[in-house]
Amino acid sequence: MVLMIIGTIWASPATKHWAIQMKHFTRLFAAAMLAGILAGFVHATLQNWMTAPLILEAEAYETEAHEHSAQSEDSHSSEVVHSDVMEREWQPEGDFERITFTYLSTIIGSIGFALVMGAAITAIDAPVNTSDGVLWGGALFVCFSLAPGIGLPLELPGMPGGELVPRQIWWWGTALSTAVGLGFLAFVRRWPRIPVAAFFITAPHLVGAPHPTEIESDVPALLAAEFVARNLGVTLIFWLTLACSLAYLLRRS
């Protein structure tokens, strides 16, 4: 009797549908994990090679500025400056810890992006050819790197920045608005799509990003510009690697 009940449940359409859904989810999860690990490893390697040296150089300027400020003030002000330096948030010590945490955090974040991207591709039943992966990677680069970076370029240590909450609101608003605009261009075929897409893409930049009132910094402008340029190149390679590898793995599965 028990075996008959189990057999009936197993043969039911609902059970078969659930089994198929679980199979698709397992394949999606495995593809996202592999693509995320690969893209995260590539991203972290490029970061350590191209952008990390610039960050360390900027930190040297920041430390020198703090020491100069401490020496130019009285003893009480010097103690305050040194206490501010000591109360900074925790940072990895040494190259080994820095490189290890860079790889771990980058790979974990990359897996998260791969899961979201895989779910989006599955939800809208988008093509998953490698050439389509290039388009997906380029679109993600524009949404999450290029468009927000126009108003809020990445900053090196020691550079002034505005208030955190308004900057985050503008950053996410720009990324989402750009994604909506590109979505209109890609998936809407009616005539108003171009004006609507242009509105969503340009609206955040017409509003303007929040910037600090004081922009003086001890970090050389050439160093900051080089950091922004290198970071854009690194993130472009990251998004293309993530999207193309995920599309390839989904296609194979």
Side-chain angles (χ1 to χ4, degrees), residues 13-46:
T15 303
K16 291 182 178 180
H17 178 73
W18 178 83
I20 293 173
Q21 293 298 323
M22 286 300 299
K23 186 177 182 180
H24 283 304
F25 174 78
T26 302
R27 290 179 175 177
L28 172 63
F29 184 80
M33 288 288 293
L34 291 175
I37 292 173
L38 173 62
F41 182 83
V42 171
H43 193 196
T45 302
L46 292 175

PDB file of all heavy atoms in Angstrom, residues 13-46:
ATOM      1  N   PRO A  13       1.971  14.390 -12.418  1.00  0.00           N
ATOM      2  CA  PRO A  13       2.555  15.499 -13.207  1.00  0.00           C
ATOM      3  C   PRO A  13       3.222  16.550 -12.341  1.00  0.00           C
ATOM      4  O   PRO A  13       4.247  17.124 -12.734  1.00  0.00           O
ATOM      5  CB  PRO A  13       1.348  16.062 -13.950  1.00  0.00           C
ATOM      6  CG  PRO A  13       0.359  14.950 -13.991  1.00  0.00           C
ATOM      7  CD  PRO A  13       0.561  14.187 -12.716  1.00  0.00           C
ATOM      8  N   ALA A  14       2.653  16.831 -11.158  1.00  0.00           N
ATOM      9  CA  ALA A  14       3.249  17.848 -10.281  1.00  0.00           C
ATOM     10  C   ALA A  14       4.634  17.431  -9.829  1.00  0.00           C
ATOM     11  O   ALA A  14       5.569  18.244  -9.781  1.00  0.00           O
ATOM     12  CB  ALA A  14       2.341  18.086  -9.076  1.00  0.00           C
ATOM     13  N   THR A  15       4.794  16.151  -9.499  1.00  0.00           N
ATOM     14  CA  THR A  15       6.110  15.668  -9.065  1.00  0.00           C
ATOM     15  C   THR A  15       7.113  15.727 -10.202  1.00  0.00           C
ATOM     16  O   THR A  15       8.275  16.104 -10.011  1.00  0.00           O
ATOM     17  CB  THR A  15       5.989  14.230  -8.535  1.00  0.00           C
ATOM     18  OG1 THR A  15       5.030  14.188  -7.478  1.00  0.00           O
ATOM     19  CG2 THR A  15       7.324  13.731  -8.018  1.00  0.00           C
ATOM     20  N   LYS A  16       6.672  15.336 -11.395  1.00  0.00           N
ATOM     21  CA  LYS A  16       7.577  15.396 -12.542  1.00  0.00           C
ATOM     22  C   LYS A  16       7.986  16.837 -12.842  1.00  0.00           C
ATOM     23  O   LYS A  16       9.148  17.112 -13.153  1.00  0.00           O
ATOM     24  CB  LYS A  16       6.915  14.762 -13.759  1.00  0.00           C
ATOM     25  CG  LYS A  16       6.736  13.250 -13.652  1.00  0.00           C
ATOM     26  CD  LYS A  16       6.119  12.686 -14.923  1.00  0.00           C
ATOM     27  CE  LYS A  16       5.988  11.173 -14.842  1.00  0.00           C
ATOM     28  NZ  LYS A  16       5.381  10.594 -16.080  1.00  0.00           N
ATOM     29  N   HIS A  17       7.016  17.741 -12.759  1.00  0.00           N
ATOM     30  CA  HIS A  17       7.327  19.151 -12.999  1.00  0.00           C
ATOM     31  C   HIS A  17       8.326  19.674 -11.964  1.00  0.00           C
ATOM     32  O   HIS A  17       9.268  20.393 -12.309  1.00  0.00           O
ATOM     33  CB  HIS A  17       6.036  19.971 -12.949  1.00  0.00           C
ATOM     34  CG  HIS A  17       6.253  21.441 -13.130  1.00  0.00           C
ATOM     35  ND1 HIS A  17       6.586  21.997 -14.353  1.00  0.00           N
ATOM     36  CD2 HIS A  17       6.222  22.480 -12.240  1.00  0.00           C
ATOM     37  CE1 HIS A  17       6.739  23.309 -14.211  1.00  0.00           C
ATOM     38  NE2 HIS A  17       6.514  23.619 -12.949  1.00  0.00           N
ATOM     39  N   TRP A  18       8.113  19.296 -10.707  1.00  0.00           N
ATOM     40  CA  TRP A  18       9.047  19.719  -9.647  1.00  0.00           C
ATOM     41  C   TRP A  18      10.438  19.152  -9.893  1.00  0.00           C
ATOM     42  O   TRP A  18      11.442  19.842  -9.694  1.00  0.00           O
ATOM     43  CB  TRP A  18       8.508  19.258  -8.296  1.00  0.00           C
ATOM     44  CG  TRP A  18       9.410  19.610  -7.150  1.00  0.00           C
ATOM     45  CD1 TRP A  18       9.484  20.792  -6.487  1.00  0.00           C
ATOM     46  CD2 TRP A  18      10.381  18.748  -6.539  1.00  0.00           C
ATOM     47  NE1 TRP A  18      10.437  20.747  -5.499  1.00  0.00           N
ATOM     48  CE2 TRP A  18      11.010  19.495  -5.506  1.00  0.00           C
ATOM     49  CE3 TRP A  18      10.790  17.431  -6.746  1.00  0.00           C
ATOM     50  CZ2 TRP A  18      12.008  18.961  -4.699  1.00  0.00           C
ATOM     51  CZ3 TRP A  18      11.780  16.897  -5.949  1.00  0.00           C
ATOM     52  CH2 TRP A  18      12.383  17.669  -4.943  1.00  0.00           C
ATOM     53  N   ALA A  19      10.512  17.885 -10.321  1.00  0.00           N
ATOM     54  CA  ALA A  19      11.813  17.264 -10.584  1.00  0.00           C
ATOM     55  C   ALA A  19      12.527  17.959 -11.733  1.00  0.00           C
ATOM     56  O   ALA A  19      13.745  18.177 -11.687  1.00  0.00           O
ATOM     57  CB  ALA A  19      11.624  15.778 -10.891  1.00  0.00           C
ATOM     58  N   ILE A  20      11.759  18.347 -12.767  1.00  0.00           N
ATOM     59  CA  ILE A  20      12.364  19.049 -13.897  1.00  0.00           C
ATOM     60  C   ILE A  20      12.881  20.419 -13.468  1.00  0.00           C
ATOM     61  O   ILE A  20      13.982  20.837 -13.845  1.00  0.00           O
ATOM     62  CB  ILE A  20      11.342  19.186 -15.046  1.00  0.00           C
ATOM     63  CG1 ILE A  20      11.026  17.820 -15.628  1.00  0.00           C
ATOM     64  CG2 ILE A  20      11.879  20.113 -16.137  1.00  0.00           C
ATOM     65  CD1 ILE A  20       9.912  17.836 -16.659  1.00  0.00           C
ATOM     66  N   GLN A  21      12.085  21.124 -12.645  1.00  0.00           N
ATOM     67  CA  GLN A  21      12.504  22.429 -12.165  1.00  0.00           C
ATOM     68  C   GLN A  21      13.767  22.329 -11.315  1.00  0.00           C
ATOM     69  O   GLN A  21      14.667  23.159 -11.418  1.00  0.00           O
ATOM     70  CB  GLN A  21      11.371  23.085 -11.372  1.00  0.00           C
ATOM     71  CG  GLN A  21      10.155  23.451 -12.208  1.00  0.00           C
ATOM     72  CD  GLN A  21      10.493  24.481 -13.279  1.00  0.00           C
ATOM     73  OE1 GLN A  21      11.290  25.379 -13.065  1.00  0.00           O
ATOM     74  NE2 GLN A  21       9.882  24.329 -14.448  1.00  0.00           N
ATOM     75  N   MET A  22      13.834  21.318 -10.459  1.00  0.00           N
ATOM     76  CA  MET A  22      15.025  21.126  -9.636  1.00  0.00           C
ATOM     77  C   MET A  22      16.244  20.804 -10.497  1.00  0.00           C
ATOM     78  O   MET A  22      17.358  21.247 -10.208  1.00  0.00           O
ATOM     79  CB  MET A  22      14.783  20.007  -8.623  1.00  0.00           C
ATOM     80  CG  MET A  22      13.880  20.387  -7.470  1.00  0.00           C
ATOM     81  SD  MET A  22      14.552  21.779  -6.510  1.00  0.00           S
ATOM     82  CE  MET A  22      16.094  21.067  -5.930  1.00  0.00           C
ATOM     83  N   LYS A  23      16.026  20.053 -11.572  1.00  0.00           N
ATOM     84  CA  LYS A  23      17.132  19.732 -12.467  1.00  0.00           C
ATOM     85  C   LYS A  23      17.649  20.988 -13.152  1.00  0.00           C
ATOM     86  O   LYS A  23      18.863  21.200 -13.251  1.00  0.00           O
ATOM     87  CB  LYS A  23      16.666  18.707 -13.496  1.00  0.00           C
ATOM     88  CG  LYS A  23      17.773  18.185 -14.400  1.00  0.00           C
ATOM     89  CD  LYS A  23      17.243  17.115 -15.337  1.00  0.00           C
ATOM     90  CE  LYS A  23      18.357  16.564 -16.216  1.00  0.00           C
ATOM     91  NZ  LYS A  23      17.850  15.501 -17.137  1.00  0.00           N
ATOM     92  N   HIS A  24      16.716  21.841 -13.607  1.00  0.00           N
ATOM     93  CA  HIS A  24      17.125  23.098 -14.239  1.00  0.00           C
ATOM     94  C   HIS A  24      17.845  23.995 -13.230  1.00  0.00           C
ATOM     95  O   HIS A  24      18.851  24.635 -13.565  1.00  0.00           O
ATOM     96  CB  HIS A  24      15.901  23.824 -14.803  1.00  0.00           C
ATOM     97  CG  HIS A  24      15.401  23.247 -16.079  1.00  0.00           C
ATOM     98  ND1 HIS A  24      16.187  23.095 -17.197  1.00  0.00           N
ATOM     99  CD2 HIS A  24      14.178  22.763 -16.432  1.00  0.00           C
ATOM    100  CE1 HIS A  24      15.485  22.556 -18.180  1.00  0.00           C
ATOM    101  NE2 HIS A  24      14.253  22.345 -17.733  1.00  0.00           N
ATOM    102  N   PHE A  25      17.331  24.055 -12.005  1.00  0.00           N
ATOM    103  CA  PHE A  25      17.968  24.890 -10.990  1.00  0.00           C
ATOM    104  C   PHE A  25      19.371  24.387 -10.672  1.00  0.00           C
ATOM    105  O   PHE A  25      20.296  25.188 -10.507  1.00  0.00           O
ATOM    106  CB  PHE A  25      17.117  24.891  -9.728  1.00  0.00           C
ATOM    107  CG  PHE A  25      17.769  25.603  -8.570  1.00  0.00           C
ATOM    108  CD1 PHE A  25      17.776  26.999  -8.505  1.00  0.00           C
ATOM    109  CD2 PHE A  25      18.400  24.891  -7.552  1.00  0.00           C
ATOM    110  CE1 PHE A  25      18.393  27.658  -7.455  1.00  0.00           C
ATOM    111  CE2 PHE A  25      19.012  25.541  -6.503  1.00  0.00           C
ATOM    112  CZ  PHE A  25      19.006  26.934  -6.451  1.00  0.00           C
ATOM    113  N   THR A  26      19.535  23.074 -10.586  1.00  0.00           N
ATOM    114  CA  THR A  26      20.855  22.506 -10.291  1.00  0.00           C
ATOM    115  C   THR A  26      21.853  22.855 -11.395  1.00  0.00           C
ATOM    116  O   THR A  26      22.997  23.228 -11.124  1.00  0.00           O
ATOM    117  CB  THR A  26      20.755  20.982 -10.130  1.00  0.00           C
ATOM    118  OG1 THR A  26      19.822  20.684  -9.087  1.00  0.00           O
ATOM    119  CG2 THR A  26      22.110  20.389  -9.785  1.00  0.00           C
ATOM    120  N   ARG A  27      21.408  22.756 -12.646  1.00  0.00           N
ATOM    121  CA  ARG A  27      22.295  23.094 -13.762  1.00  0.00           C
ATOM    122  C   ARG A  27      22.628  24.580 -13.767  1.00  0.00           C
ATOM    123  O   ARG A  27      23.774  24.966 -14.021  1.00  0.00           O
ATOM    124  CB  ARG A  27      21.637  22.698 -15.081  1.00  0.00           C
ATOM    125  CG  ARG A  27      21.542  21.192 -15.296  1.00  0.00           C
ATOM    126  CD  ARG A  27      20.852  20.855 -16.602  1.00  0.00           C
ATOM    127  NE  ARG A  27      20.871  19.421 -16.874  1.00  0.00           N
ATOM    128  CZ  ARG A  27      20.298  18.844 -17.922  1.00  0.00           C
ATOM    129  NH1 ARG A  27      19.659  19.611 -18.808  1.00  0.00           N
ATOM    130  NH2 ARG A  27      20.357  17.546 -18.099  1.00  0.00           N
ATOM    131  N   LEU A  28      21.626  25.412 -13.486  1.00  0.00           N
ATOM    132  CA  LEU A  28      21.866  26.853 -13.432  1.00  0.00           C
ATOM    133  C   LEU A  28      22.834  27.201 -12.319  1.00  0.00           C
ATOM    134  O   LEU A  28      23.764  28.007 -12.505  1.00  0.00           O
ATOM    135  CB  LEU A  28      20.536  27.590 -13.235  1.00  0.00           C
ATOM    136  CG  LEU A  28      20.630  29.099 -12.954  1.00  0.00           C
ATOM    137  CD1 LEU A  28      21.266  29.820 -14.135  1.00  0.00           C
ATOM    138  CD2 LEU A  28      19.248  29.674 -12.676  1.00  0.00           C
ATOM    139  N   PHE A  29      22.636  26.597 -11.154  1.00  0.00           N
ATOM    140  CA  PHE A  29      23.513  26.876 -10.015  1.00  0.00           C
ATOM    141  C   PHE A  29      24.943  26.438 -10.308  1.00  0.00           C
ATOM    142  O   PHE A  29      25.900  27.168 -10.001  1.00  0.00           O
ATOM    143  CB  PHE A  29      22.980  26.161  -8.773  1.00  0.00           C
ATOM    144  CG  PHE A  29      23.759  26.450  -7.523  1.00  0.00           C
ATOM    145  CD1 PHE A  29      23.549  27.626  -6.821  1.00  0.00           C
ATOM    146  CD2 PHE A  29      24.703  25.553  -7.055  1.00  0.00           C
ATOM    147  CE1 PHE A  29      24.267  27.904  -5.665  1.00  0.00           C
ATOM    148  CE2 PHE A  29      25.426  25.812  -5.907  1.00  0.00           C
ATOM    149  CZ  PHE A  29      25.210  26.988  -5.211  1.00  0.00           C
ATOM    150  N   ALA A  30      25.108  25.256 -10.899  1.00  0.00           N
ATOM    151  CA  ALA A  30      26.457  24.768 -11.211  1.00  0.00           C
ATOM    152  C   ALA A  30      27.131  25.665 -12.240  1.00  0.00           C
ATOM    153  O   ALA A  30      28.325  25.996 -12.108  1.00  0.00           O
ATOM    154  CB  ALA A  30      26.377  23.328 -11.718  1.00  0.00           C
ATOM    155  N   ALA A  31      26.389  26.081 -13.268  1.00  0.00           N
ATOM    156  CA  ALA A  31      26.966  26.960 -14.289  1.00  0.00           C
ATOM    157  C   ALA A  31      27.358  28.305 -13.691  1.00  0.00           C
ATOM    158  O   ALA A  31      28.431  28.852 -14.002  1.00  0.00           O
ATOM    159  CB  ALA A  31      25.974  27.155 -15.432  1.00  0.00           C
ATOM    160  N   ALA A  32      26.499  28.857 -12.823  1.00  0.00           N
ATOM    161  CA  ALA A  32      26.807  30.141 -12.199  1.00  0.00           C
ATOM    162  C   ALA A  32      28.021  30.034 -11.279  1.00  0.00           C
ATOM    163  O   ALA A  32      28.852  30.947 -11.219  1.00  0.00           O
ATOM    164  CB  ALA A  32      25.595  30.649 -11.423  1.00  0.00           C
ATOM    165  N   MET A  33      28.133  28.946 -10.553  1.00  0.00           N
ATOM    166  CA  MET A  33      29.291  28.758  -9.670  1.00  0.00           C
ATOM    167  C   MET A  33      30.580  28.709 -10.483  1.00  0.00           C
ATOM    168  O   MET A  33      31.565  29.393 -10.151  1.00  0.00           O
ATOM    169  CB  MET A  33      29.122  27.472  -8.866  1.00  0.00           C
ATOM    170  CG  MET A  33      28.074  27.538  -7.774  1.00  0.00           C
ATOM    171  SD  MET A  33      28.606  28.569  -6.379  1.00  0.00           S
ATOM    172  CE  MET A  33      29.963  27.585  -5.736  1.00  0.00           C
ATOM    173  N   LEU A  34      30.598  27.906 -11.544  1.00  0.00           N
ATOM    174  CA  LEU A  34      31.816  27.785 -12.349  1.00  0.00           C
ATOM    175  C   LEU A  34      32.163  29.100 -13.036  1.00  0.00           C
ATOM    176  O   LEU A  34      33.327  29.531 -13.026  1.00  0.00           O
ATOM    177  CB  LEU A  34      31.633  26.676 -13.384  1.00  0.00           C
ATOM    178  CG  LEU A  34      31.552  25.245 -12.845  1.00  0.00           C
ATOM    179  CD1 LEU A  34      31.252  24.266 -13.965  1.00  0.00           C
ATOM    180  CD2 LEU A  34      32.859  24.861 -12.153  1.00  0.00           C
ATOM    181  N   ALA A  35      31.159  29.755 -13.622  1.00  0.00           N
ATOM    182  CA  ALA A  35      31.419  31.030 -14.296  1.00  0.00           C
ATOM    183  C   ALA A  35      31.861  32.085 -13.294  1.00  0.00           C
ATOM    184  O   ALA A  35      32.760  32.892 -13.593  1.00  0.00           O
ATOM    185  CB  ALA A  35      30.163  31.488 -15.034  1.00  0.00           C
ATOM    186  N   GLY A  36      31.240  32.112 -12.112  1.00  0.00           N
ATOM    187  CA  GLY A  36      31.619  33.089 -11.093  1.00  0.00           C
ATOM    188  C   GLY A  36      33.039  32.879 -10.591  1.00  0.00           C
ATOM    189  O   GLY A  36      33.785  33.838 -10.396  1.00  0.00           O
ATOM    190  N   ILE A  37      33.417  31.629 -10.386  1.00  0.00           N
ATOM    191  CA  ILE A  37      34.782  31.345  -9.922  1.00  0.00           C
ATOM    192  C   ILE A  37      35.805  31.759 -10.979  1.00  0.00           C
ATOM    193  O   ILE A  37      36.830  32.381 -10.674  1.00  0.00           O
ATOM    194  CB  ILE A  37      34.924  29.852  -9.573  1.00  0.00           C
ATOM    195  CG1 ILE A  37      34.085  29.527  -8.328  1.00  0.00           C
ATOM    196  CG2 ILE A  37      36.390  29.485  -9.334  1.00  0.00           C
ATOM    197  CD1 ILE A  37      34.025  28.055  -8.004  1.00  0.00           C
ATOM    198  N   LEU A  38      35.518  31.420 -12.240  1.00  0.00           N
ATOM    199  CA  LEU A  38      36.451  31.778 -13.315  1.00  0.00           C
ATOM    200  C   LEU A  38      36.574  33.287 -13.461  1.00  0.00           C
ATOM    201  O   LEU A  38      37.690  33.838 -13.480  1.00  0.00           O
ATOM    202  CB  LEU A  38      35.966  31.163 -14.626  1.00  0.00           C
ATOM    203  CG  LEU A  38      36.748  31.579 -15.891  1.00  0.00           C
ATOM    204  CD1 LEU A  38      38.199  31.144 -15.788  1.00  0.00           C
ATOM    205  CD2 LEU A  38      36.089  30.995 -17.146  1.00  0.00           C
ATOM    206  N   ALA A  39      35.437  33.980 -13.561  1.00  0.00           N
ATOM    207  CA  ALA A  39      35.480  35.433 -13.751  1.00  0.00           C
ATOM    208  C   ALA A  39      36.058  36.124 -12.520  1.00  0.00           C
ATOM    209  O   ALA A  39      36.798  37.110 -12.649  1.00  0.00           O
ATOM    210  CB  ALA A  39      34.069  35.956 -14.040  1.00  0.00           C
ATOM    211  N   GLY A  40      35.713  35.630 -11.325  1.00  0.00           N
ATOM    212  CA  GLY A  40      36.267  36.230 -10.111  1.00  0.00           C
ATOM    213  C   GLY A  40      37.769  36.062 -10.026  1.00  0.00           C
ATOM    214  O   GLY A  40      38.484  36.977  -9.597  1.00  0.00           O
ATOM    215  N   PHE A  41      38.270  34.907 -10.431  1.00  0.00           N
ATOM    216  CA  PHE A  41      39.717  34.682 -10.419  1.00  0.00           C
ATOM    217  C   PHE A  41      40.418  35.614 -11.407  1.00  0.00           C
ATOM    218  O   PHE A  41      41.457  36.211 -11.090  1.00  0.00           O
ATOM    219  CB  PHE A  41      40.015  33.220 -10.763  1.00  0.00           C
ATOM    220  CG  PHE A  41      41.472  32.868 -10.725  1.00  0.00           C
ATOM    221  CD1 PHE A  41      42.092  32.539  -9.532  1.00  0.00           C
ATOM    222  CD2 PHE A  41      42.242  32.872 -11.890  1.00  0.00           C
ATOM    223  CE1 PHE A  41      43.439  32.222  -9.494  1.00  0.00           C
ATOM    224  CE2 PHE A  41      43.581  32.561 -11.861  1.00  0.00           C
ATOM    225  CZ  PHE A  41      44.188  32.236 -10.653  1.00  0.00           C
ATOM    226  N   VAL A  42      39.840  35.753 -12.594  1.00  0.00           N
ATOM    227  CA  VAL A  42      40.420  36.664 -13.592  1.00  0.00           C
ATOM    228  C   VAL A  42      40.395  38.100 -13.085  1.00  0.00           C
ATOM    229  O   VAL A  42      41.382  38.844 -13.205  1.00  0.00           O
ATOM    230  CB  VAL A  42      39.662  36.538 -14.926  1.00  0.00           C
ATOM    231  CG1 VAL A  42      40.100  37.626 -15.907  1.00  0.00           C
ATOM    232  CG2 VAL A  42      39.885  35.158 -15.540  1.00  0.00           C
ATOM    233  N   HIS A  43      39.263  38.494 -12.492  1.00  0.00           N
ATOM    234  CA  HIS A  43      39.122  39.860 -11.993  1.00  0.00           C
ATOM    235  C   HIS A  43      40.121  40.156 -10.885  1.00  0.00           C
ATOM    236  O   HIS A  43      40.790  41.203 -10.890  1.00  0.00           O
ATOM    237  CB  HIS A  43      37.693  40.065 -11.477  1.00  0.00           C
ATOM    238  CG  HIS A  43      37.352  41.490 -11.231  1.00  0.00           C
ATOM    239  ND1 HIS A  43      36.263  41.887 -10.485  1.00  0.00           N
ATOM    240  CD2 HIS A  43      37.961  42.657 -11.605  1.00  0.00           C
ATOM    241  CE1 HIS A  43      36.209  43.211 -10.434  1.00  0.00           C
ATOM    242  NE2 HIS A  43      37.237  43.688 -11.103  1.00  0.00           N
ATOM    243  N   ALA A  44      40.238  39.243  -9.920  1.00  0.00           N
ATOM    244  CA  ALA A  44      41.163  39.457  -8.804  1.00  0.00           C
ATOM    245  C   ALA A  44      42.611  39.498  -9.290  1.00  0.00           C
ATOM    246  O   ALA A  44      43.421  40.290  -8.786  1.00  0.00           O
ATOM    247  CB  ALA A  44      40.982  38.361  -7.760  1.00  0.00           C
ATOM    248  N   THR A  45      42.944  38.652 -10.259  1.00  0.00           N
ATOM    249  CA  THR A  45      44.305  38.648 -10.797  1.00  0.00           C
ATOM    250  C   THR A  45      44.626  39.977 -11.465  1.00  0.00           C
ATOM    251  O   THR A  45      45.712  40.559 -11.258  1.00  0.00           O
ATOM    252  CB  THR A  45      44.474  37.497 -11.799  1.00  0.00           C
ATOM    253  OG1 THR A  45      44.193  36.252 -11.150  1.00  0.00           O
ATOM    254  CG2 THR A  45      45.896  37.466 -12.354  1.00  0.00           C
ATOM    255  N   LEU A  46      43.696  40.476 -12.262  1.00  0.00           N
ATOM    256  CA  LEU A  46      43.909  41.764 -12.920  1.00  0.00           C
ATOM    257  C   LEU A  46      43.973  42.902 -11.908  1.00  0.00           C
ATOM    258  O   LEU A  46      44.746  43.858 -12.079  1.00  0.00           O
ATOM    259  CB  LEU A  46      42.795  42.018 -13.939  1.00  0.00           C
ATOM    260  CG  LEU A  46      42.789  41.095 -15.163  1.00  0.00           C
ATOM    261  CD1 LEU A  46      41.575  41.378 -16.027  1.00  0.00           C
ATOM    262  CD2 LEU A  46      44.068  41.271 -15.975  1.00  0.00           C
TER     263      LEU A  46
END
